[in-house]
Amino acid sequence: MPRLARNRRTSVTIYDIAEKLSISASTVSRALRGHPDIRQETIEAVKAMAKKLNYQPNTMAQNLRERRTKMIGLVLPEIQSSFYASVLNGIEEVAFQKGYQVMVCKSGENYQRELVQVYALSNLVDGMLVCLSEQTQKTDHFRHLKQQGTPCVFFDRAPENVAGHRVLFEDEALGFALTENLIKAGFRHIAHLTGPNYLKACKDRLAGYQKALQQYGLPDQPELVLSVGFGYQDGRLGFQKLMKLSPRPDAIFAGSDPIATAVVVEARRAGISIPQELGLATFGSDPMHTLLDPPVTGLNPKGFEMGSTAAQLCIQEIEKTGKSTRYKTEYLKCDIAVRRSSVKLSGDEQLIASYSRYLKSDTHGDELVYIY
Amino acid sequence: MPRLARNRRTSVTIYDIAEKLSISASTVSRALRGHPDIRQETIEAVKAMAKKLNYQPNTMAQNLRERRTKMIGLVLPEIQSSFYASVLNGIEEVAFQKGYQVMVCKSGENYQRELVQVYALSNLVDGMLVCLSEQTQKTDHFRHLKQQGTPCVFFDRAPENVAGHRVLFEDEALGFALTENLIKAGFRHIAHLTGPNYLKACKDRLAGYQKALQQYGLPDQPELVLSVGFGYQDGRLGFQKLMKLSPRPDAIFAGSDPIATAVVVEARRAGISIPQELGLATFGSDPMHTLLDPPVTGLNPKGFEMGSTAAQLCIQEIEKTGKSTRYKTEYLKCDIAVRRSSVKLSGDEQLIASYSRYLKSDTHGDELVYIY
DNA sequence: CAAAATTATGCAAGCGATTGCGTTATCGGT
DNA sequence: ACCGATAACGCAATCGCTTGCATAATTTTG
């Protein structure tokens, strides 16, 4: 059969180099990778010729031959939010160091799309990093990965019944801490606005919230918990619903940054002042929240670490030789950053002091932590 | 030679399907893609068997054979900033629609790393999208792409002497408009804090700034222009330098969002009030700036459009059959959003009214535009 | 000095999918 | 009943690279 018309990319191959030097392609191949069988002279000649012809190895051919692609897939709900962007940043950094490329796919918090993306990536990448969409309840697509032998590491939001490494926050403990912080600040009717409770992350955060209420002798009022979604719109609508209750909640524990932002915006619009009339804390770390008026209590940023840890685990799993695997769950150490949105009585230094174990240096602007 | 030990991924191939059905692999291949030569019966049998065996085509083999990968590479300076995140979002969206995967690489504003990334991607992707790093002055790596026949579309920051499609802002016009806005607000000593002036984008924005000064009869004071970099630290240091001048500038035109954010933070720390003592406008669109106190004048967000437009151009270029190409530069329509940071006299409705042609609905909170 | 060991290279079989062309049935037409 | 047309499928080459094994050339060893 005749060679395909080289419509695009008249690429130089090892055969071209071989021909020029009157040697075989296998020798060229070995020379280029410094195989000890090949004479130093030959190696140099080959490399020189390769440079001269501007040879670039055909990655696809290598991939096919080597049965690996040096690519890892990433499926995440959203790209624009500060948190996921920083996760991606962490992943990219590690991948680059280890010579991997990152294929980014967003699910858009949509289960169907997550499904499509996972399948599309599955026969293309060596390993995968996944944060579940807020809609995801079925997890067959991940079992397909297992079956295929593609390592998959979950981060931030992980399924409960799928084997694999995980990198997570201490959802319950942090949910507890954020809620406790509001309680100690004097808030008593604390609402919780978050994602669907079939997600383990949400369940755990909610559990932390409830535990805090209980521990401080506050009633658990189900109407104060809205488990809808992580988005800005979810936050907006949730806020409006909450503000119609009577008595109105006097604080909100937001399950994500977009939710918290929505609360800030809507409260401002409604003329409700934070924190005097409404306390606020977020399970998030968008740097924006340190600059708002008032700055919003939340978590210290760990997105980069989450991404880099997950990527490391994944690559390690890809490259390991042994077959037995003990899957592990890494909980990222993360502490909360108390800011004015949860400090009811401005100027009450006593109160602020009592939180000193949480206090981060950015709280009062002396050492504002702002990362670009 | 014996088959390679199938260490990983015991994948099902068309040969497996063929064997099960006692037909040839070529028939399977044709059946799967619905070739008219193949009988309907056979097609169905093959598809059924494929599903039963959970067959997934080997993308690498296809890639090799088809001499294309259905992947596009993206090289950008930074991922975390809101603007580039939204660009990526736009790219991903279009790529997904058209069946392409996106490989994301960040240069970290580092020329060397940009170089490495471009070369690594060059023999892997069908096309590439690039935003230059702030260090990039040489552009040989892009000529290498041309030579290889890999389409490359530049966005936001493009080299001057490389052929290719571009998607850009109207840098000069917007630089003019933002500066003019400050002038009309009554500011007279307007500084400009931006990236290096060997970047065309910076040159153009600077030109717009100077043109505005000139048009309004203001002196062009070179010491007020600091062309250092786009980062937060650049902004911080630049701000500190500017504040040491006497007379001190009474307004700053920031060349990027991180710079503007740095100005806000540093001004707050230094007890300089915006806009009373210092006007501020940014060549950026981070939604954060709509929520700060005061909200910062800037551009309306066009990152998504920039990304999607660039991706469309790139894919179109990849898939076009003809060879002749007229490279085009698309200028994104983008208008400025005047906010309080550039409205010197609060309450001066007269003044605000005079900007009505710029005024966006988010300016006073009635219709705050906030996109997640 | 012949045999064994070493060194340096070539041959050819894959990796999995695609496809031009050849081959075998099947069928209608006269 | 014979022939060309059509339908349905198989063969084998190919994409570019890697690598086990064979081979040829050179050196070492007894």
Side-chain angles (χ1 to χ4, degrees):
Chain A
M1 194 176 116
R3 285 199 154 196
L4 280 183
R6 301 219 177 182
N7 41 353
R8 322 188 323 93
R9 179 177 310 200
T10 49
S11 50
V12 181
T13 74
I14 55 171
Y15 288 94
D16 298 323
I17 299 181
E19 196 170 347
K20 293 267 182 196
L21 296 176
S22 303
I23 59 179
S24 78
S26 32
T27 301
V28 173
S29 173
R30 290 193 177 96
L32 287 173
R33 30 183 45 228
H35 192 287
D37 272 6
I38 308 297
R39 199 173 10 152
Q40 199 55 36
E41 255 173 82
T42 319
I43 291 186
E44 279 156 20
V46 167
K47 288 193 173 167
M49 183 58 72
K51 175 161 282 181
K52 185 179 164 198
L53 299 182
N54 195 18
Y55 165 78
Q56 299 286 124
N58 182 316
T59 312
M60 303 167 261
Q62 286 177 320
N63 287 346
L64 177 57
R65 172 66 212 217
E66 310 259 336
R67 300 163 141 271
R68 60 140 183 67
T69 60
K70 283 270 187 181
M71 303 195 263
I72 57 186
L74 169 64
V75 180
L76 37 62
E78 202 50 68
I79 299 175
Q80 302 225 33
S81 88
S82 151
F83 174 67
Y84 290 117
S86 61
V87 169
L88 169 53
N89 198 21
I91 292 169
E92 207 276 343
E93 195 57 41
V94 169
F96 179 72
Q97 302 301 345
K98 306 255 183 179
Y100 282 76
Q101 305 280 357
V102 183
M103 317 231 40
V104 177
C105 299
K106 78 156 196 268
S107 66
E109 300 283 17
N110 178 323
Y111 167 67
Q112 274 302 326
R113 185 151 167 178
E114 174 180 298
L115 202 76
V116 173
Q117 305 274 31
V118 167
Y119 272 92
L121 287 178
S122 71
N123 47 350
L124 181 56
V125 300
D126 293 342
M128 211 174 294
L129 301 170
V130 176
C131 175
L132 297 186
S133 91
E134 72 182 18
Q135 294 179 356
T136 302
Q137 304 190 53
K138 295 176 67 181
T139 51
D140 297 334
H141 42 317
F142 301 116
R143 254 170 241 108
H144 171 245
L145 292 184
K146 291 295 149 221
Q147 186 184 324
Q148 247 202 185
T150 306
C152 179
V153 175
F154 297 98
F155 64 90
D156 192 37
R157 305 184 201 152
E160 297 189 67
N161 46 5
V162 176
H165 294 308
R166 290 141 210 279
V167 185
L168 303 175
F169 290 121
E170 299 179 292
D171 291 298
E172 182 171 338
L174 289 171
F176 180 91
L178 288 166
T179 308
E180 182 186 40
N181 170 257
L182 289 167
I183 297 173
K184 286 198 174 176
F187 299 105
R188 288 295 171 266
H189 301 288
I190 303 173
H192 184 28
L193 224 48
T194 188
N197 62 11
Y198 46 74
L199 288 181
K200 176 146 173 56
C202 291
K203 258 187 289 195
D204 290 352
R205 291 168 199 179
L206 176 61
Y209 158 87
Q210 290 169 328
K211 197 169 149 192
L213 294 186
Q214 189 183 342
Q215 184 159 324
Y216 285 87
L218 297 178
D220 180 7
Q221 298 166 277
E223 71 274 20
L224 290 184
V225 176
L226 294 181
S227 298
V228 181
F230 290 111
Y232 184 83
Q233 287 308 326
D234 300 311
R236 213 167 73 91
L237 299 176
F239 175 87
Q240 289 168 355
K241 257 188 204 154
L242 288 176
M243 288 304 116
K244 285 189 189 133
L245 295 177
S246 73
R248 209 160 78 174
D250 64 357
I252 293 179
F253 166 28
S256 77
D257 281 327
I259 292 174
T261 306
V263 168
V264 169
V265 171
E266 293 299 314
R268 195 179 285 180
R269 182 173 300 176
I272 299 173
S273 74
I274 298 175
Q276 289 75 19
E277 298 175 72
L278 187 71
L280 177 62
T282 173
F283 200 106
S285 56
D286 192 324
M288 157 197 293
H289 288 313
T290 69
L291 295 178
L292 293 185
D293 184 35
V296 179
T297 292
L299 306 177
N300 283 307
K302 288 285 173 181
F304 188 94
E305 285 80 357
M306 182 165 272
S308 58
T309 307
Q312 263 155 3
L313 277 174
C314 185
I315 292 175
Q316 176 184 316
E317 189 69 19
I318 290 169
E319 294 180 348
K320 83 167 163 27
T321 49
K323 40 220 62 178
S324 70
T325 297
R326 220 49 238 112
Y327 290 118
K328 62 180 162 189
T329 302
E330 288 224 14
Y331 290 100
L332 248 51
K333 273 285 162 250
C334 176
D335 38 26
I336 75 174
V338 176
R339 305 199 185 91
R340 283 214 311 282
S341 76
S342 71
V343 178
K344 200 170 189 174
L345 312 167
S346 66
D348 188 337
E349 296 303 327
Q350 184 67 28
L351 191 64
I352 292 181
S354 81
Y355 294 129
S356 60
R357 66 180 168 122
Y358 295 137
L359 278 180
K360 284 300 124 190
S361 47
D362 72 278
T363 309
H364 295 110
D366 313 20
E367 266 267 12
L368 196 140
V369 177
Y370 197 89
I371 299 158
Y372 259 106
Chain B
M1 192 177 119
R3 286 198 152 199
L4 280 183
R6 303 221 174 180
N7 40 350
R8 321 187 324 92
R9 178 177 309 202
T10 49
S11 51
V12 180
T13 74
I14 54 171
Y15 290 94
D16 298 323
I17 299 180
E19 195 171 347
K20 293 267 182 195
L21 297 176
S22 306
I23 57 179
S24 80
S26 31
T27 301
V28 173
S29 173
R30 291 192 175 96
L32 288 174
R33 30 184 44 229
H35 191 289
D37 270 6
I38 308 299
R39 198 176 8 154
Q40 198 54 38
E41 251 174 271
T42 318
I43 292 187
E44 279 156 21
V46 167
K47 289 193 172 166
M49 183 58 73
K51 175 161 281 181
K52 184 177 164 199
L53 299 182
N54 195 17
Y55 166 78
Q56 300 285 124
N58 183 317
T59 313
M60 303 167 261
Q62 288 177 318
N63 287 347
L64 177 58
R65 174 63 212 221
E66 310 260 336
R67 300 162 143 272
R68 60 140 184 69
T69 61
K70 282 271 187 178
M71 303 195 261
I72 57 186
L74 169 64
V75 180
L76 37 63
E78 201 50 69
I79 299 174
Q80 301 223 34
S81 88
S82 150
F83 173 67
Y84 291 117
S86 59
V87 170
L88 169 53
N89 199 19
I91 292 169
E92 206 276 341
E93 195 56 42
V94 170
F96 178 72
Q97 302 301 343
K98 306 254 183 180
Y100 282 75
Q101 305 279 357
V102 183
M103 317 232 37
V104 177
C105 299
K106 77 155 196 267
S107 66
E109 300 283 16
N110 178 323
Y111 167 68
Q112 275 301 327
R113 185 151 167 177
E114 174 180 297
L115 202 76
V116 172
Q117 305 274 30
V118 167
Y119 272 92
L121 288 178
S122 71
N123 47 353
L124 182 56
V125 299
D126 293 342
M128 211 175 294
L129 301 169
V130 176
C131 174
L132 297 185
S133 92
E134 71 183 17
Q135 294 179 355
T136 302
Q137 305 191 51
K138 296 177 64 181
T139 51
D140 297 334
H141 41 317
F142 300 118
R143 253 170 242 107
H144 170 245
L145 292 184
K146 292 294 150 224
Q147 189 184 322
Q148 248 203 182
T150 306
C152 179
V153 176
F154 297 99
F155 63 91
D156 192 37
R157 305 183 201 153
E160 298 189 64
N161 46 6
V162 177
H165 294 306
R166 289 141 210 279
V167 184
L168 304 174
F169 289 120
E170 298 178 294
D171 290 298
E172 182 172 337
L174 289 171
F176 180 91
L178 288 165
T179 310
E180 182 186 40
N181 171 256
L182 289 166
I183 296 173
K184 287 199 174 175
F187 298 104
R188 288 294 171 266
H189 302 288
I190 303 172
H192 184 29
L193 222 51
T194 187
N197 63 12
Y198 47 73
L199 289 181
K200 176 147 173 55
C202 291
K203 258 187 289 196
D204 291 352
R205 292 168 199 180
L206 177 61
Y209 158 86
Q210 290 170 328
K211 196 168 149 194
L213 294 185
Q214 190 183 340
Q215 185 159 323
Y216 287 86
L218 297 178
D220 181 9
Q221 298 167 276
E223 71 273 19
L224 290 184
V225 176
L226 293 180
S227 298
V228 182
F230 290 112
Y232 184 83
Q233 287 307 325
D234 300 311
R236 213 167 73 92
L237 298 176
F239 175 86
Q240 288 168 356
K241 258 189 202 153
L242 288 177
M243 289 303 114
K244 285 188 188 132
L245 295 177
S246 73
R248 210 162 78 173
D250 63 357
I252 293 179
F253 166 28
S256 76
D257 281 327
I259 293 174
T261 306
V263 169
V264 169
V265 170
E266 293 299 314
R268 195 178 284 182
R269 184 173 299 175
I272 299 173
S273 74
I274 298 174
Q276 289 75 19
E277 298 175 72
L278 187 71
L280 178 61
T282 173
F283 200 107
S285 55
D286 193 323
M288 159 197 291
H289 288 314
T290 69
L291 295 178
L292 293 185
D293 183 37
V296 179
T297 292
L299 306 176
N300 284 309
K302 288 284 172 181
F304 188 94
E305 284 80 355
M306 181 164 271
S308 57
T309 307
Q312 262 154 4
L313 277 175
C314 185
I315 291 175
Q316 175 185 316
E317 188 68 18
I318 290 170
E319 294 180 349
K320 84 166 164 21
T321 48
K323 38 219 63 178
S324 70
T325 297
R326 221 48 239 110
Y327 290 118
K328 60 181 163 188
T329 302
E330 289 223 15
Y331 290 101
L332 250 52
K333 273 282 163 254
C334 176
D335 38 24
I336 74 174
V338 176
R339 305 198 185 92
R340 283 215 312 281
S341 76
S342 71
V343 179
K344 200 171 187 174
L345 312 167
S346 66
D348 189 336
E349 296 303 328
Q350 183 67 28
L351 190 63
I352 292 182
S354 81
Y355 294 131
S356 59
R357 65 179 168 124
Y358 295 138
L359 278 180
K360 284 298 126 189
S361 47
D362 72 280
T363 309
H364 294 109
D366 313 22
E367 266 269 9
L368 196 140
V369 177
Y370 196 90
I371 299 158
Y372 259 108

